[in-house]
Amino acid sequence: MEEGERSPLLSQDAGGQEPPLAGSSPLTPSHPGPAPWEDQARRAGPGRVLACCFPWGSSFLKCLIFLSNFVFSLLSLLALAIGLWGLAVKGSLGSSWGGPLPADPMLGLVLGGLAFSAVSLAGCLGALCENAFLLRCFSGGILAFLVLEAVAGALVVAFWGQLQDDLEHVLRMAITDYQDDPDLCFLIDQVQLGLQCCGVASYQDWQRNLYFNCSSPGVQACSLPASCCIDPWEDGASVNDQCGFGALGLDEDAAQRVVHLEGCGPPLLQWLRRNIWAAGGYTIVVVVVQGAELLLATQLVRALAVHKRAAEREGLSTGPPDSVPSPLPNWSRADWQVRQKTRAPGWGLGLQASPPLPGKVSE
């Protein structure tokens, strides 16, 4: 080496310390090291990030998301199974195969159970595996449910008066199609048994039904359903289907001893008005739970993103050029090892000179 040249590798003094530089090198950042919370995230993973954001602990947060969605998944799968069982018992699946979907309430139970179970399972697996994609799918599903619930609530509020006015018309149509739809038959029977009523305005509304009309040639002519009877069980274990036979042909004094004379229109309207606030309360609870699930999933996704960025910064600062892109593409592994060996304790804080460039080390 000539007298006027000086190698950067020999620039240390007798004590083994390099003289500090006024400015930072191209390879050394001038700003201080990573923030404490980022350094903590690099060392401990997303769990410690969540522990910083949530004082009760990251494990509690992930367990809360997993357990709540696990319970919702079980309930959704149960609803799906009940819906499929109902369609299979009534033969709706086999009769409509390849054709249009049946207008069956059980079909709504099947579709709702399928949608809720898919979203809940995505939340379970996303929280358990810390998968950001599944958590985003879960958040999107919850957001879609919230939008649909908001639209349905707005429609109910907007058309509540019209729904009350059309209630008697809907009941009369249900009486007309009583024998044609098993689900409608079950619904009418439950309303009449629960409210202890018969018909819409009075028990004579069953004259609209072709089977119960007194001019019908069938055996049910001038009769009423068993749900109209005052004591349909007649002290027995099962309902007596013939308790209402011939009740439409009796006068009111004789009929009132056997069946209910009052219609179901006014009692059903009063029942709806009494329970509308309870239904609204249940809806608010469901919306709050879904909003909390959405918030927790969003926080977990953010924590995973922070951990990913911190891990990438850690890899860029310490990883070899084979696995992480180097600031100088023409460096070899040997040059990288020389840089690691000659790095001073203050590396990363802007307190030492830059490592030598390849080919500049004097022999």
Side-chain angles (χ1 to χ4, degrees), residues 18-291:
E18 292 186 3
L21 297 180
S24 61
S25 68
L27 296 178
T28 306
S30 59
H31 56 79
W37 67 272
E38 290 186 357
D39 186 63
Q40 186 182 18
R42 287 202 299 260
R43 292 196 304 267
R48 296 296 295 274
V49 176
L50 292 175
C52 296
C53 301
F54 299 92
W56 53 82
S58 60
S59 299
F60 176 78
L61 175 63
K62 289 188 288 186
C63 287
L64 182 62
I65 297 176
F66 173 77
L67 291 177
S68 60
N69 284 284
F70 180 73
V71 173
F72 293 147
S73 299
L74 293 180
L75 295 176
S76 302
L77 292 175
L78 179 61
L80 177 62
I82 292 174
L84 291 175
W85 173 79
L87 291 177
V89 167
K90 292 187 292 185
S92 300
L93 290 177
S95 60
S96 61
W97 185 260
L101 292 176
D104 197 316
M106 290 296 179
L107 181 63
L109 194 62
V110 168
L111 296 179
L114 184 63
F116 276 98
S117 60
V119 173
S120 299
L121 288 175
C124 280
L125 296 178
L128 184 64
C129 304
E130 294 182 355
N131 190 299
F133 174 74
L134 290 178
L135 289 173
R136 290 190 181 98
C137 293
F138 169 72
S139 301
I142 292 294
L143 188 61
F145 290 151
L146 290 174
V147 171
L148 291 177
E149 290 164 2
V151 171
L155 291 176
V156 169
V157 172
F159 295 99
W160 177 242
Q162 185 175 355
L163 289 175
Q164 297 181 76
D165 297 337
D166 294 341
L167 181 61
E168 292 188 1
H169 175 68
V170 173
L171 288 177
R172 288 190 175 92
M173 291 181 60
I175 287 176
T176 303
D177 301 330
Y178 178 77
Q179 280 91 351
D180 300 332
D181 191 340
D183 297 310
L184 192 59
C185 176
F186 173 78
L187 181 61
I188 291 296
D189 287 340
Q190 293 303 311
V191 169
Q192 294 188 146
L193 287 173
L195 299 178
Q196 295 182 356
C197 56
C198 185
V200 181
S202 70
Y203 71 106
Q204 291 292 334
D205 290 323
W206 282 99
Q207 293 277 6
R208 297 174 176 270
N209 188 279
L210 295 178
Y211 297 92
F212 293 134
N213 189 279
C214 290
S215 60
S216 175
V219 294
Q220 292 181 327
C222 275
S223 298
L224 290 173
S227 57
C228 287
C229 298
I230 296 177
D231 186 12
W233 289 274
E234 294 184 354
D235 300 329
S238 59
V239 175
N240 183 10
D241 294 333
Q242 299 181 358
C243 65
F245 272 30
L248 284 177
L250 301 176
D251 56 16
E252 290 188 2
D253 293 335
Q256 67 181 357
R257 302 187 185 95
V258 180
V259 297
H260 298 287
L261 303 184
E262 182 185 5
C264 296
L268 181 58
L269 188 58
Q270 293 176 5
W271 182 86
L272 290 175
R273 289 172 178 173
R274 285 196 310 266
N275 292 274
I276 186 63
W277 296 109
Y282 293 144
T283 304
I284 291 175
V285 170
V286 171
V287 169
V288 169
V289 171
Q290 290 176 343

